Amino acid sequence: MDKTILALNEGWRFDLGECEDAWYKGYSIDHWKKVMIPHDWSVESPFSKEYSSGTGYLSGGIGWYRLRFQLPEMYRGKRIRLVFDGVYKNSQVWCNSYYLGKRPNGYISFSYDISDFVSFGKTDNGISVKVTHTDLADSRWFTGSGITRKVWLMIEEAVHPAEYGCVFKGEQVVHRIVNTTQKPVNVRVITEFYRKDGEKEARFEGMTQIKPDGEQELLLETKVENPFLWSPQNPYLYKMKSWYQVDEGEANLVDEQNIGFRHIVFDAEKGFFLNGIATKIKGVCVHHDGGCLGAAMKSEVWQRRLSLLKECGCNAIRCSHNPHMPELYDLCDQMGFLVMDEAFDEWENAKNKWSTGHNVYPPKHQGYYEDFHQWHEADLRAMVQRDRNHPSVIMWSIGNEIDYPNDPYCHPLFETMTGNNDANKPEAERRYDSNKPNANRLLPIAKQLVDIVREEDNTRPITLAAAFPELSSRIGLFDVLDVVGYNYKEHLYVDDHQRFPTIPLLGSENSHSYQAWRAVKDNDYISGQFLWTGIDYLGEAKGWPIHGSQAGIMTTAGFAKPEFDERKTFWCNENAIYIVTQKDDESVNRWSSMSKSWNYEADEKVCVKCYATLNQEDVYVELSRNGKVVGKSERSKEDGAFTFSVNFEAGTLSALMCTKEGEILAQSSLITTNTAKNMHIQLYKEDDFLTGKSWQEVSREVGYIYQVIVELQDDKGQWVVWDDRMVSVQVHGAGEFAGMDNGNLADVTPFSVQQRKTFNGKLVVYIRRVEKGNINIFIQDTNAQSHEIKILE
């Protein structure tokens, strides 16, 4: 029998609270809530100041999940593995009342062999999962709570690949084969590569013998002449299929996955090369949450986000600061994003966790460090094994800011140390304290982690995102790494490149500033940068009512912010110009009040910033108001913008990007809008990158999330940024309300409420398909404008 994958995402029951006997298969769950997986109970509860600011003022607790399912007789005698893509956190799992095990890490994929515990035919099987997330200050960002990623069964023959046991290494494929029978077997292994058009590219075969109840590794030489190469510009993927023929039996399909051919080099002098071409990494860091969806993210939501990031020239994703859902890596393969895959945010000692506002002392010290000693090796191996066949993954990160000064590691080389995020930090907390852990301890841990990664994958470089290279470079931490990542340390690039001429350098976490990008653009030896962040996220909140970080160039709702247009001029080569405005007041934050609006009080002084494509250096911008030129500006060396101070006058504000000779290269305008009169409703439709199915096909699948974009418009059909309205939603038929997000991180309306005010004239509504059939969605605003969307089966 070919390998079979059965999804177990429907039919679950959930109960919040301690139920001591819920592990027992006979325990009554009729009163429990029906849920679909992925599920995050944290975002179903109200925000409260009682909870931790670091994790978004949302609750945790203890939750139980139960599932009943049946297995056909045809699977009797097969090996059956129960797979969880992620459970946050401290999961404990039972099958038919048999305890399978515990996994503390909430971000890692794990599985259990349940072959000996399941029943077949018409007898129900029962899965029980206990999730314990009672330490709400266990993270510096929002984590979520529950079975937050897919659950599925892998059904295989007695002779099958080990978990993640088919490994593609470019010119080799390694098969680790498991024989669960009590007799020796001869196994013929066949691996084939297929092109996008379905034609076979190559076939490879090998033979091996495996002892009873044993494991054996077989290496196939799989060199392909002149394959199509994978890159962000052309993410070409082959299909790799493998069959095992045991003794004289039939050949069974045992593995099928996408692979890509590409060559990566980090050169200490010339930077990053992909397929022999010098390439700047234009990346963003992302956390795992989806705003109102919490940690229960879906691939279709990520696809919309990634499609927008592509528009600003982004070509890379840093998975901060933990392994993400498998579908994200699949999307990066398909859509063309380079990936830094990151394992940990802390090792054996706790970092500060802010619970009453960012950098508000005293901190709490909960988190993964409690489990690091026992679980770090298993968790790190699981990440590398799971993700090593993805062409998008170009480096492994063993940690983020593990060397953050005095958090908790310090060193006598520095009497005082200040980190990149130490606003309001007391002076005493910056000083060397011999009673705190010594930073020298980081080196043996780093060596151990590097060795673990290299045992699992020797084809990619290993990095670490350093917070304080001033110290880390002096205690030998860089010596064990292949690439060194600097977080916010652009001012050290020149000197440290001279100090370490053989070590490749990368901006692993960077500000949005013009100067930070010039440090990459103007220095070949810097491979690239990763902005903090690509998308706003829940948690790491400054203080109530703010419940998330506004560091992104996109909101949690998946809309572009003014910073997005600025980044577009940095990272894209097409001639373009964009206008943003704010009140001309030095006390106003540079970005939080920037807007794509030309609506102010009459004669009010307004700061106007224009961003024009950076590849055009010798240009100026001419600004006009209602057809009259009000000024010309050169590019600022400080922020790269063309800045004006003008008095507001209703009408049209226009900007021309011109050469010194007067040639117009690009133009843009903002128009004064009237009050909001209408809602423009758009059902987001995009064919599925992962399956290749059309939107019409994939959207019929149970569990699919529909994304409805609501935009306020005036009587002339123009987007209204300044006149927000309350919007309510009702869902009938085969769908259910999954959430509304406006991107306003100061709005503490519970995510479970089916109404929300727009923010900057927009919001997104998420509707989940729960069964086959038609779905009717009714959306209404305070102007009594009502729209109906019919989604037909």
Side-chain angles (χ1 to χ4, degrees), residues 114-299:
I114 60 173
S115 307
D116 297 335
F117 306 124
V118 291
S119 301
F120 300 90
K122 296 184 179 181
T123 303
D124 280 349
N125 294 285
I127 299 295
S128 304
V129 181
K130 180 182 180 182
V131 182
T132 303
H133 183 203
T134 52
D135 50 345
L136 298 185
D138 61 329
S139 173
R140 300 184 302 111
W141 61 89
F142 174 81
T143 61
S145 305
I147 303 179
T148 56
R149 298 175 185 172
K150 297 193 317 297
V151 184
W152 44 286
L153 292 179
M154 172 73 85
I155 303 174
E156 302 171 295
E157 292 289 348
V159 178
H160 58 268
E163 190 171 23
Y164 310 120
C166 298
V167 185
F168 172 71
K169 292 190 171 184
E171 296 187 355
Q172 295 177 332
V173 173
V174 178
H175 288 266
R176 178 158 289 280
I177 309 168
V178 177
N179 174 21
T180 63
T181 72
Q182 300 304 306
K183 64 177 183 178
V185 294
N186 294 304
V187 182
R188 178 169 170 245
V189 177
I190 305 162
T191 293
E192 296 180 345
F193 297 161
Y194 291 83
R195 297 192 294 268
K196 276 187 175 182
D197 60 7
E199 291 297 311
K200 187 189 301 182
E201 176 73 28
R203 177 185 174 95
F204 312 96
E205 294 189 27
M207 289 288 297
T208 190
Q209 187 176 75
I210 311 177
K211 296 177 181 179
D213 201 24
E215 265 190 40
Q216 183 67 44
E217 189 173 281
L218 175 68
L219 188 150
L220 297 179
E221 298 294 337
T222 55
K223 185 176 178 60
V224 174
E225 296 296 333
N226 301 316
F228 294 105
L229 298 180
W230 183 96
S231 70
Q233 295 76 27
N234 181 29
Y236 194 96
L237 295 173
Y238 288 83
K239 185 73 72 177
M240 180 176 80
K241 296 183 179 182
S242 295
W243 292 262
Y244 292 172
Q245 182 182 19
V246 179
D247 295 329
E248 299 301 319
E250 293 184 1
N252 296 313
L253 180 68
V254 297
D255 186 72
E256 181 176 349
Q257 55 187 301
N258 291 324
I259 58 170
F261 293 89
R262 48 95 181 114
H263 309 289
I264 57 174
V265 173
F266 284 88
D267 186 278
E269 191 63 38
K270 299 179 181 179
F272 176 64
F273 287 78
L274 180 64
N275 302 327
I277 300 172
T279 302
K280 286 294 186 185
I281 294 173
K282 303 171 181 177
V284 298
C285 305
V286 296
H287 275 308
H288 68 296
D289 75 85
C292 68
L293 297 175
M297 274 291 272
K298 295 294 298 294
S299 62

Side-chain angles (χ1 to χ4, degrees), residues 83-101:
V83 184
F84 294 86
D85 284 347
V87 181
Y88 201 93
K89 66 178 190 176
N90 294 315
S91 64
Q92 294 173 267
V93 183
W94 291 259
C95 176
N96 291 335
S97 299
Y98 294 97
Y99 183 58
L100 303 178

Side-chain angles (χ1 to χ4, degrees), residues 189-466:
V189 177
I190 305 162
T191 293
E192 296 180 345
F193 297 161
Y194 291 83
R195 297 192 294 268
K196 276 187 175 182
D197 60 7
E199 291 297 311
K200 187 189 301 182
E201 176 73 28
R203 177 185 174 95
F204 312 96
E205 294 189 27
M207 289 288 297
T208 190
Q209 187 176 75
I210 311 177
K211 296 177 181 179
D213 201 24
E215 265 190 40
Q216 183 67 44
E217 189 173 281
L218 175 68
L219 188 150
L220 297 179
E221 298 294 337
T222 55
K223 185 176 178 60
V224 174
E225 296 296 333
N226 301 316
F228 294 105
L229 298 180
W230 183 96
S231 70
Q233 295 76 27
N234 181 29
Y236 194 96
L237 295 173
Y238 288 83
K239 185 73 72 177
M240 180 176 80
K241 296 183 179 182
S242 295
W243 292 262
Y244 292 172
Q245 182 182 19
V246 179
D247 295 329
E248 299 301 319
E250 293 184 1
N252 296 313
L253 180 68
V254 297
D255 186 72
E256 181 176 349
Q257 55 187 301
N258 291 324
I259 58 170
F261 293 89
R262 48 95 181 114
H263 309 289
I264 57 174
V265 173
F266 284 88
D267 186 278
E269 191 63 38
K270 299 179 181 179
F272 176 64
F273 287 78
L274 180 64
N275 302 327
I277 300 172
T279 302
K280 286 294 186 185
I281 294 173
K282 303 171 181 177
V284 298
C285 305
V286 296
H287 275 308
H288 68 296
D289 75 85
C292 68
L293 297 175
M297 274 291 272
K298 295 294 298 294
S299 62
E300 53 267 29
V301 181
W302 268 119
Q303 182 171 317
R304 174 174 158 250
R305 290 174 159 204
L306 293 176
S307 293
L308 187 56
L309 283 172
K310 271 282 185 182
E311 292 182 18
C312 77
C314 177
N315 65 8
I317 299 293
R318 178 186 174 206
C319 294
S320 308
H321 301 293
N322 47 259
H324 283 228
M325 60 189 289
E327 296 92 327
L328 178 59
Y329 302 86
D330 293 334
L331 282 169
C332 289
D333 290 344
Q334 294 278 1
M335 300 177 72
F337 287 91
L338 308 167
V339 173
M340 178 195 292
D341 208 359
E342 192 156 72
F344 307 116
D345 186 56
E346 62 188 16
W347 293 347
E348 67 178 12
N349 277 293
K351 287 182 176 179
N352 290 337
K353 310 298 193 311
W354 309 110
S355 62
T356 56
H358 193 61
N359 281 355
V360 177
Y361 281 78
K364 293 188 177 181
H365 295 102
Q366 303 167 347
Y368 179 75
Y369 81 97
E370 299 174 14
D371 302 299
F372 180 82
H373 279 298
Q374 181 178 350
W375 285 98
H376 71 273
E377 180 173 352
D379 289 342
L380 184 56
R381 289 189 190 278
M383 181 189 82
V384 177
Q385 289 175 2
R386 189 195 71 175
D387 299 337
R388 61 191 170 190
N389 280 357
H390 288 283
S392 58
V393 176
I394 61 167
M395 66 183 108
W396 308 110
S397 169
I398 58 173
N400 170 64
E401 296 189 346
I402 304 298
D403 61 337
Y404 199 91
N406 290 315
D407 191 15
Y409 296 95
C410 57
H411 198 280
L413 280 175
F414 286 82
E415 182 61 32
T416 61
M417 294 193 294
T418 300
N420 58 57
N421 199 12
D422 277 352
N424 305 320
K425 191 171 189 175
E427 183 62 28
E429 294 292 330
R430 304 172 194 261
R431 293 176 185 161
Y432 171 69
D433 182 349
S434 62
N435 294 309
K436 284 189 172 183
N438 190 301
N440 287 329
R441 171 63 181 154
L442 298 175
L443 183 55
I445 301 176
K447 286 180 177 178
Q448 182 190 23
L449 298 178
V450 166
D451 288 344
I452 292 170
V453 173
R454 289 199 174 124
E455 286 175 13
E456 299 296 341
D457 179 49
N458 59 7
T459 69
R460 294 172 177 85
I462 301 169
T463 188
L464 177 148

